[in-house]
Amino acid sequence: MAATSATTFSIGSTASAGSKIGHVTQSKAFSIKFNPKNHLRSFSGLKAANSVSCESESSFLGSESSKALKSSYVTKAQKESQRSYTSVQPQASYKVAILGASGGIGQPLALLVKMSPLVSALNLYDIANVNGVAADLSHCNTPSQVTAFTGASELANCLKDVNVVVIPAGVPRKPGMTRDDLFNINANIVKTLVEAVADNCPDAFIHIISNPVNSTVPIAAEVLKKKGVYDPKKLFGVTTLDVVRANTFVAQKKNLKLIDVDVPVIGGHAGITILPLLSKTKPSVSFTDEEVEKLTVRIQNAGTEVVEAKAGAGSATLSMAYAAARFVESSLRALDGDSDVYECSYIQSDVTELPFFASRIKLGKKGVEAVISSELEGLTEYEQKGLEALKPELKASIEKGVAFVQKESVTA
């Protein structure tokens, strides 16, 4: 797709997309310049690179986030000109489709993806109520063009020439429900949507959010195999929320600067299959046995914590949208040629005897470029026991997903 050049927008100032900004009307403006060849190093303003400069605190990010942004420039960016700018000039050139865009995760996810300077087109699909979401988002002065698609008859057009497909479609968890309770409904939804992806954009990165991820990713894989277009390097179960939670809880517990904390999370995306490797935390930090157990259990049950707190009004939609947007941005950076993109994700893997497993991966233009298996070496006794304990449950979830597609095929 042709790149859209010289697109501009401003945070905390008066601007019009597509034109240069000649006058800043707010006294507390926040301004950023991006080198068109290298955009955000990671999503959300936590880590940015290459020609980023801040004048003062932003009314959007807030003073603490502005400080975090400033403190996170890579060395190369620090060597760039320190002049202030009031425009962002990215090469927006990627097309993203969100399937399930009017839902609890879909709406905030769409907003966050709309903010990405790498996105030229944002296609929003749902079975209802998506036109209003698209109209609302289209008023945001960021580069991407937003288009709504409603119902099965418009799904194919939504997916034409898309680079990244994100699937949060499905029903959310309610109090008392496990992710596995969602299986029968969401399994059918994911199967139908992935079939459309296979027919219309088989080369796209596919991000699966719909729970239970431990089963829906194998479902997607089986569908793609039957369509003859399966590329295991381009199918991802989004487990980024587990990492986001682990980083947050560890930073709070140990009074660390959040931006510096990195905890790899392996296994799957439900209950005990979520295994944070606290011994591999960066920066290096020590935990008592009690702290390890409490943190691990909290990370594993964090989704339930939110479901219960919302008391029937929903599940973890906002934090999931944030985590998914971070993974989308990482994928876009990788597609754009960034050679330093790492995330944890649930993928087809051979790091254990299980066919699917979440661990840290390196992303590249063709998807999974490398699996960082070294993080599974030198585990503590507690982590090793946790790893062995999760395997039977994860194995059963994988087999359930595979069996669902095979049974559907026989029935058909």
Side-chain angles (χ1 to χ4, degrees):
M1 278 181 285
T4 303
S5 61
T7 305
T8 66
F9 65 92
S10 174
I11 300 172
S13 64
T14 301
S16 60
S19 61
K20 293 186 178 180
I21 302 166
H23 180 62
V24 176
T25 61
Q26 293 186 5
S27 59
K28 288 187 176 182
F30 179 86
S31 58
I32 304 174
K33 177 193 174 186
F34 288 84
N35 182 327
K37 294 182 180 179
N38 223 329
H39 315 301
L40 294 179
R41 300 290 288 185
S42 76
F43 181 79
S44 82
L46 293 183
K47 291 183 180 179
N50 295 50
S51 306
V52 182
S53 59
C54 303
E55 284 182 342
S56 61
E57 77 177 59
S58 162
S59 59
F60 179 77
L61 292 175
S63 59
E64 290 304 312
S65 294
S66 294
K67 288 176 184 175
L69 181 57
K70 283 184 177 181
S71 68
S72 66
Y73 304 156
V74 295
T75 304
K76 182 177 179 181
Q78 290 173 331
K79 294 178 181 179
E80 298 285 347
S81 168
Q82 296 302 307
R83 292 177 297 166
S84 295
Y85 296 82
T86 54
S87 64
V88 178
Q89 297 184 325
Q91 295 286 338
S93 56
Y94 297 99
K95 196 171 185 178
V96 176
I98 298 176
L99 310 185
S102 66
I105 295 170
Q107 289 196 43
L109 173 58
L111 172 61
L112 293 169
V113 174
K114 178 76 169 76
M115 293 170 64
S116 173
L118 288 166
V119 179
S120 60
L122 178 58
N123 289 357
L124 306 182
Y125 171 84
D126 217 316
I127 57 174
N129 304 322
V130 73
N131 287 333
V133 177
D136 198 358
L137 282 178
S138 70
H139 295 178
C140 298
N141 61 326
T142 61
S144 55
Q145 297 297 309
V146 183
T147 308
F149 299 86
T150 304
S153 63
E154 297 185 8
L155 181 55
N157 285 335
C158 173
L159 293 169
K160 287 284 190 294
D161 302 319
V162 164
N163 303 106
V164 176
V165 179
V166 193
I167 306 180
V171 297
R173 277 206 297 163
K174 296 177 181 177
M177 290 179 70
T178 65
R179 287 182 174 86
D180 205 47
D181 291 332
L182 307 176
F183 181 85
N184 287 331
I185 298 173
N186 289 355
N188 270 307
I189 292 171
V190 170
K191 176 178 177 290
T192 300
L193 294 176
V194 174
E195 285 173 343
V197 172
D199 291 338
N200 296 283
C201 54
D203 293 326
F205 284 18
I206 305 172
H207 296 183
I208 304 290
I209 297 172
S210 307
N211 275 318
V213 167
N214 292 353
S215 298
T216 53
V217 172
I219 287 172
E222 290 301 305
V223 169
L224 294 167
K225 287 176 186 176
K226 289 183 179 300
K227 290 282 188 176
V229 294
Y230 180 48
D231 184 347
K233 294 182 178 180
K234 294 182 178 181
L235 176 63
F236 307 92
V238 180
T239 61
T240 316
L241 180 54
D242 300 323
V243 176
V244 166
R245 286 167 167 161
N247 292 349
T248 300
F249 300 162
V250 167
Q252 291 171 345
K253 184 69 176 177
K254 292 298 183 179
N255 196 28
L256 299 171
K257 192 187 333 184
L258 183 56
I259 196 171
D260 295 331
V261 179
D262 178 36
V263 183
V265 182
I266 65 169
H269 185 57
I272 66 166
T273 70
I274 301 167
L275 183 60
L277 301 182
L278 296 171
S279 68
K280 308 288 186 178
T281 297
K282 294 179 182 178
S284 181
V285 59
S286 61
F287 299 94
T288 66
D289 291 345
E290 183 181 8
E291 285 175 333
V292 168
E293 184 172 354
K294 285 186 175 180
L295 279 168
T296 299
V297 170
R298 189 183 178 199
I299 293 162
Q300 290 173 338
N301 295 326
T304 301
E305 183 180 311
V306 175
V307 169
E308 291 176 351
K310 290 190 174 183
S315 58
T317 55
L318 300 177
S319 54
M320 184 64 247
Y322 166 86
R326 165 175 149 170
F327 195 79
V328 169
E329 191 72 16
S330 291
S331 293
L332 294 174
R333 284 169 42 216
L335 284 167
D336 203 44
D338 191 330
S339 60
D340 189 32
V341 183
Y342 296 84
E343 290 282 0
C344 290
S345 182
Y346 182 64
I347 61 166
Q348 180 176 309
S349 172
D350 59 5
V351 296
T352 70
E353 64 272 26
L354 299 172
F356 292 88
F357 195 81
S359 62
R360 196 187 303 275
I361 59 173
K362 181 178 182 181
L363 287 162
K365 288 186 175 183
K366 295 183 179 180
V368 179
E369 195 169 281
V371 178
I372 313 304
S373 58
S374 60
E375 288 187 331
L376 274 71
E377 299 171 1
L379 300 182
T380 65
E381 182 180 354
Y382 181 87
E383 290 166 347
Q384 191 62 49
K385 286 182 178 178
L387 176 58
E388 294 308 313
L390 72 81
K391 287 180 180 178
E393 183 170 325
L394 187 52
K395 181 174 184 287
S397 295
I398 293 168
E399 290 174 347
K400 187 173 184 177
V402 173
F404 171 80
V405 178
Q406 293 176 344
K407 181 180 177 181
E408 290 286 307
S409 298
V410 172
T411 303

